Amino acid sequence: MANPGTAGSVTVSLHPLVIMNVSEHWTRSRAQDGKPVQVLGALIGKQKGRHLEVFNSFELVFDNVDSDVIIDREYYNTKEEQFKQVFSDMDFLGWYTTGGSANESDIKVHKQVCEINESPIFLKLNPQSRQADLPLKIYESVIDIVNGDATLLFAEIPYTLATEDAERIGVDHVARMSSDTGENSSVSDHLIAQHNAIKMLHHRVKLILEYVKAVQNDEVPKNHEILRDIYSLCNRLPVVSSTTFKGDFFTQCNDVALITYLGTITKGCNSLNHFINKFSVLYDRHGLGRRPRGLIF
């Protein structure tokens, strides 16, 4: 670590989505392996001058070689191409991992990340911390002279939490639903109220329909006042059958269907890309020495 008095050269705004991604990544890996494990990932966002705003993150694949962490650059290149297609205005800003304080192993990984970005930031989250404050620290690398040699060290830099309306709603929902108090979030309360209203509407429409059928079958006597109310209610239906309503309704339906369709296409292209990569590797192994390597698609 650098001297405590070393001032950071950049300022960082961190969005809660990044913290949730790192926490979910570590929790999922621990559940799969049955024990706490170290996870690595990339941070993406925007840089304006000396200010960095970290919006999102994605996982990285790595191998342990002689107790050293080696990042899979091929996997990173693939993920970079994918996130550039979705987040074209965002850049790679740094990387994250989990554990205690920054150590020598983190410096070795940081040197690998420096090959991608000249001055990346480093985020470290301690999921097993019991302190009340957020167990998260952000560092930048500095070059200092130690024993006459230029040495790469970490200097802690301050950060602020930046949230948008959608993130506030999501964080509030996750925090309340994951707590043991049984308290519902505002999103959950709103959805429950809508569900109850629709359920009540369905019940009352069904009751009106059963009454009209019973009158038609002479099972109950006619009540002209009730029938007039039902007729008046039915006359209100053309209000939601106007041309303007139909246009807005079908536009919204088409937008939702298009988003779902694009998501399905993206997922299918990703699966096809993985299949082509595996096929190319297998083809190269069988064709090594007998034909030019690689395939042209």
Side-chain angles (χ1 to χ4, degrees):
M1 293 292 294
N3 295 327
T6 304
S9 61
V10 296
T11 58
V12 178
S13 296
L14 183 65
H15 284 254
L17 178 61
V18 179
I19 304 175
M20 296 172 61
N21 286 345
V22 178
S23 178
E24 187 274 335
H25 186 190
W26 181 84
T27 303
R28 173 164 38 84
S29 299
R30 185 186 64 172
Q32 293 174 349
D33 296 345
K35 60 180 180 180
V37 295
Q38 182 185 17
V39 297
L40 269 71
L43 303 175
I44 59 175
K46 299 179 181 179
Q47 180 173 1
K48 295 181 180 179
R50 304 306 298 172
H51 179 72
L52 305 178
E53 188 170 5
V54 186
F55 285 93
N56 208 336
S57 64
F58 60 85
E59 304 172 12
L60 290 178
V61 175
F62 63 93
D63 298 317
N64 289 312
V65 180
D66 296 332
S67 70
D68 291 335
V69 175
I70 307 299
I71 297 177
D72 189 341
R73 288 292 299 274
E74 183 178 353
Y75 179 83
Y76 165 77
N77 293 333
T78 302
K79 294 293 290 185
E80 183 186 27
E81 293 178 0
Q82 294 174 352
F83 91 73
K84 275 295 185 181
Q85 294 175 3
V86 182
F87 307 106
S88 59
D89 57 338
M90 295 188 186
D91 299 313
F92 174 79
L93 300 180
W95 65 290
Y96 72 79
T97 188
T98 54
S101 302
N103 50 42
E104 186 66 26
S105 176
D106 296 330
I107 293 179
K108 294 180 180 179
V109 178
H110 196 79
K111 290 179 179 179
Q112 300 178 49
V113 179
C114 288
E115 299 176 1
I116 304 173
N117 187 323
E118 292 182 353
S119 56
I121 60 174
F122 167 42
L123 183 151
K124 193 159 191 179
L125 175 70
N126 187 0
Q128 296 179 303
S129 175
R130 300 300 180 184
Q131 62 184 15
D133 297 333
L134 189 64
L136 182 149
K137 292 184 178 180
I138 299 180
Y139 306 91
E140 69 172 346
S141 56
V142 295
I143 303 297
D144 201 354
I145 302 300
V146 178
N147 297 327
D149 298 327
T151 307
L152 178 68
L153 300 175
F154 284 134
E156 185 175 349
I157 54 178
Y159 65 90
T160 57
L161 292 178
T163 59
E164 298 176 351
D165 292 339
E167 288 180 314
R168 291 193 193 99
I169 296 173
V171 171
D172 175 74
H173 179 72
V174 172
R176 293 177 183 271
M177 296 301 291
S178 60
S179 63
D180 298 330
T181 60
E183 187 178 3
N184 292 329
S185 66
S186 57
V187 177
S188 179
D189 292 338
H190 179 67
L191 293 178
I192 291 175
Q194 284 190 332
H195 176 267
N196 292 335
I198 295 174
K199 186 177 180 181
M200 183 179 297
L201 176 63
H202 176 266
H203 173 73
R204 292 185 177 182
V205 170
K206 184 178 180 181
L207 183 63
I208 293 174
L209 181 61
E210 291 177 352
Y211 173 78
V212 173
K213 289 182 178 179
V215 171
Q216 287 180 339
N217 298 330
D218 295 330
E219 296 178 0
V220 295
K222 295 182 179 180
N223 188 320
H224 294 282
E225 184 178 357
I226 296 178
L227 292 176
R228 280 195 296 269
D229 291 338
I230 296 174
Y231 181 76
S232 176
L233 180 63
C234 292
N235 285 336
R236 298 180 184 178
L237 295 179
V239 176
V240 296
S241 300
S242 63
T243 305
T244 304
F245 175 81
K246 285 184 177 179
D248 295 340
F249 177 75
F250 286 125
T251 299
Q252 186 174 4
C253 288
N254 291 336
D255 291 342
V256 174
L258 180 61
I259 293 174
T260 305
Y261 180 63
L262 290 176
T264 305
I265 292 177
T266 303
K267 186 176 181 181
C269 291
N270 187 35
S271 301
L272 181 61
N273 183 48
H274 285 299
F275 173 77
I276 293 175
N277 290 338
K278 293 178 181 179
F279 181 81
S280 298
V281 172
L282 183 62
Y283 184 86
D284 290 345
R285 290 178 180 176
H286 287 292
L288 186 60
R290 293 186 291 108
R291 57 173 70 100
R293 301 188 63 186
L295 286 176
I296 299 177
F297 291 95

